[in-house]
Amino acid sequence: MTTTGRPTPLPQDPSPATADTPQPVTVTDLAIGLPDGPPLLQRTSLGLRTGRITALTGPSGSGKTTLLRALIGDLPPGARLTSGSVEVLGQDVFALAPDALRALRRHRLAYVGQDPGSALNPRMTAARLIAEVAADPTPRAVAALMSECRLPEELAHHRPGALSGGQQRRLALARALARHPDVLLLDEPTAGLDTALRDEIAGLLRRLATHRGLAVVLACHDPHVVEACADTVLTLRAPAAPPSGTGVPLRKTRRPRVPDAPAAPADGLRAARLEVAFTHKGHTHQALKQADFHVPTGSATGILGPSGSGKTTLLRTLAGLQKPDAGTLTWNGRPLPAQARRRNREQQRRIQLVPQNPLGALNPARTIGASLTRPLQLHRTVGGSEMPARVGELLDDVGLPGDFAARYPHELSGGQRQRASIARALATDPDLLLCDEVTSALDPATATAVMELLTRLRAERRLSLVLVSHELELVTAYTDSVHLLDEGRVRMAGDEVSFTTQLT
């Protein structure tokens, strides 16, 4: 991996940093790797300044997350520094005693990772989660933080499970700001957010840096966010890696033509008048309201909608992971139990969910091979002696080398983990894949590669796809029809012009 050198100001930067601007973070010739494994970050230098925003860009696998975590002294399991140093607020983070490092993280540094929802206690409400770490835990201060991070007041009494992925991300940002840190580290802070919220968060970060005097560094694939708020950009590049960032290229074929779905007798998946509400201490949030939805056999169906509109709840309900309060599901005209545990083995096999966060499907304590073997064992799709070969086939299907079976999720880039998550879903030979924001934290080249992969698999396996995304152009390019979900209702299905009006 190479870099563009030390961070350089963007051309439109109106007030370049001066030499006497405080520099709370200095990274010098930092390189990180795994013993007998791939490099995670090659020599990189970086300097953060108070009141300034630095954006880390580059393809999946270039080391953005590794660099962010190095700033808090947290390396992936088994990884080590091969050169360089990290100095934060005058202290070498890798030379600090454990107690001193914990104090630095608790009071001076704030880190929001790519999957912030996993760090939120599922038993606590949003307000309690903020108050738990706040320098000022009073209800008034908590409410102000929620408002600043564009979290509706009524969500204060809801637990993380009742929040959308975008709301969880903003809640994690509110928790980070509640500590009044000196340095704010953000990994893909606008992933999974609609355009309006993305722009609001970019503006918020700009204000935080300017008015609170924060030093902010964010890993980001979105050029609009980088242009809107960054003073400085550092581009990381992975050497000898294909655009997809997988380590091996996809098959060099034309995009396959997906055959038309048969008219009969297969009807696919239907949902009728679905109702889902989340209630806590007398406060109710209606996630789905009389929602009707149909996925014809062999089709690719897109779902668009603003953050918090119920997209993830709809997918989880279709997958049987969220019990609806009312409504029915049918599969090819026959009743489908609402809960996955009440579905028979064949029904469970046919419908698979690819979550927004790949680590939700990949156990961090298991190798990729073990994660792929598990569904093969559960659904008995192949014999025990055939499982290693089947794991190799699944990896090949998604463009990953066979030796990735021995790797752990933390040893893979975001794009590679997403492919492994898709491979796990494919292990059961499903008829329907429900894909939740599978490209939201990927660079444009990797996102396109993942969508090309799904299109190829759809043609080869006659899969039906449901794709949830905030990216209008991507959805319309790779689906047959698009639905708009707003305030828990499926409002319409139509053309791109209509959706452009609705979503901006």
Side-chain angles (χ1 to χ4, degrees):
M1 176 174 55
T2 60
T3 73
T4 57
R6 293 184 180 275
T8 54
L10 291 176
Q12 71 273 21
D13 180 19
S15 55
T18 59
D20 58 356
T21 303
Q23 186 161 305
V25 175
T26 302
V27 176
T28 306
D29 293 331
L30 183 66
I32 298 170
L34 293 165
D36 303 319
L40 301 179
L41 179 72
Q42 292 191 5
R43 289 182 183 270
T44 301
S45 294
L46 170 69
L48 303 185
R49 294 188 181 276
T50 298
R52 315 285 284 175
I53 298 178
T54 297
L56 305 178
T57 66
S60 297
S62 58
K64 299 184 297 297
T65 297
T66 300
L67 177 54
L68 282 181
R69 296 196 68 86
L71 299 184
I72 61 172
D74 181 27
L75 297 182
R80 60 185 178 86
L81 265 66
T82 55
S83 74
S85 63
V86 177
E87 187 176 283
V88 177
L89 300 170
Q91 303 179 82
D92 183 343
V93 295
F94 291 105
L96 286 176
D99 287 348
L101 181 59
R102 281 193 294 270
L104 182 68
R105 293 174 179 172
R106 185 178 300 116
H107 302 296
R108 310 292 299 278
L109 290 172
Y111 172 79
V112 180
Q114 221 173 85
D115 175 34
S118 63
L120 301 174
N121 187 329
R123 295 181 177 274
M124 296 175 67
T125 64
R128 283 189 61 202
L129 283 164
I130 296 172
E132 176 189 37
V133 296
D136 180 358
T138 62
R140 182 176 180 178
V142 169
L145 274 169
M146 291 188 64
S147 175
E148 189 174 32
C149 293
R150 303 302 186 264
L151 284 167
E153 181 181 355
E154 61 268 21
L155 296 184
H157 303 285
H158 293 164
R159 296 175 179 175
L163 305 181
S164 71
Q167 290 166 343
Q168 290 179 358
R169 190 172 297 278
R170 282 172 279 151
L171 174 57
L173 177 58
R175 275 170 55 87
L177 296 176
R179 304 175 184 182
H180 295 173
D182 299 288
V183 180
L184 179 62
L185 313 173
L186 305 169
D187 198 350
E188 297 291 347
T190 60
L193 300 184
D194 59 75
T195 302
L197 273 174
R198 178 200 70 188
D199 293 343
E200 287 190 14
I201 294 300
L204 169 62
L205 296 179
R206 183 68 270 164
R207 293 192 300 274
L208 290 170
T210 303
H211 299 300
R212 290 199 185 192
L214 279 173
V216 180
V217 59
L218 65 150
C220 188
H221 288 305
D222 191 328
H224 301 288
V225 174
V226 172
E227 183 177 359
C229 71
D231 299 301
T232 305
V233 178
L234 177 65
T235 301
L236 306 180
R237 303 188 188 280
S244 65
T246 63
V248 295
L250 286 176
R251 299 171 187 173
K252 300 293 185 180
T253 58
R254 294 181 181 178
R255 184 188 298 183
R257 178 185 179 275
V258 179
D260 295 332
D267 185 49
L269 179 65
R270 283 186 181 272
R273 304 180 72 79
L274 291 180
E275 297 266 354
V276 175
F278 298 101
T279 301
H280 181 68
K281 294 185 177 180
H283 297 272
T284 299
H285 169 60
Q286 195 75 28
L288 292 179
K289 305 172 186 177
Q290 299 288 301
D292 296 325
F293 189 62
H294 179 212
V295 189
T297 297
S299 68
T301 304
I303 303 176
L304 294 166
S307 297
S309 60
K311 300 184 299 297
T312 294
T313 299
L314 176 59
L315 285 198
R316 287 179 55 81
T317 304
L318 298 178
L321 302 178
Q322 174 63 53
K323 182 181 178 182
D325 300 307
T328 59
L329 298 173
T330 58
W331 178 262
N332 293 338
R334 297 182 178 180
L336 180 69
Q339 294 176 278
R341 67 173 181 267
R342 296 187 180 277
R343 297 175 185 177
N344 60 40
R345 192 179 299 274
E346 184 66 10
Q347 291 169 330
Q348 292 175 359
R349 178 191 69 79
R350 289 178 179 274
I351 302 173
Q352 293 292 313
L353 174 67
V354 183
Q356 182 173 350
N357 168 37
L359 294 179
L362 303 173
N363 188 327
R366 291 180 177 172
T367 63
I368 300 301
S371 289
L372 299 187
T373 299
R374 182 63 174 160
L376 296 177
Q377 294 170 330
L378 288 174
H379 294 277
R380 303 171 187 171
T381 53
V382 297
S385 61
E386 300 171 306
M387 285 185 185
R390 181 62 182 137
V391 167
E393 290 175 0
L394 288 166
L395 291 172
D396 182 65
D397 280 345
V398 298
L400 291 176
D403 61 5
F404 271 39
R407 293 192 185 183
Y408 287 88
H410 71 264
E411 298 179 279
L412 276 59
S413 71
Q416 291 165 346
R417 284 197 296 266
Q418 196 59 271
R419 289 173 184 269
S421 178
I422 293 171
R424 187 184 186 282
L426 293 173
T428 67
D429 291 325
D431 297 314
L432 171 62
L433 276 188
L434 305 170
C435 302
D436 191 5
E437 296 281 5
V438 293
T439 63
S440 66
L442 304 181
D443 63 88
T446 305
T448 298
V450 167
M451 291 312 305
E452 294 286 345
L453 164 67
L454 291 173
T455 300
R456 173 172 63 78
L457 294 172
R458 181 186 164 206
E460 293 176 353
R461 294 176 172 236
R462 189 134 192 87
L463 278 173
S464 302
L465 294 178
V466 175
L467 178 66
V468 160
S469 178
H470 288 297
E471 302 173 64
L472 175 64
E473 292 182 2
L474 181 141
V475 170
T476 54
Y478 288 96
T479 60
D480 306 318
S481 62
V482 183
H483 293 68
L484 179 66
L485 191 61
D486 186 27
E487 296 182 351
R489 298 179 186 273
V490 180
R491 298 281 187 184
M492 54 182 287
D495 59 274
E496 182 173 346
V497 175
S498 300
F499 285 110
T500 302
T501 302
Q502 293 282 333
L503 295 173
T504 57

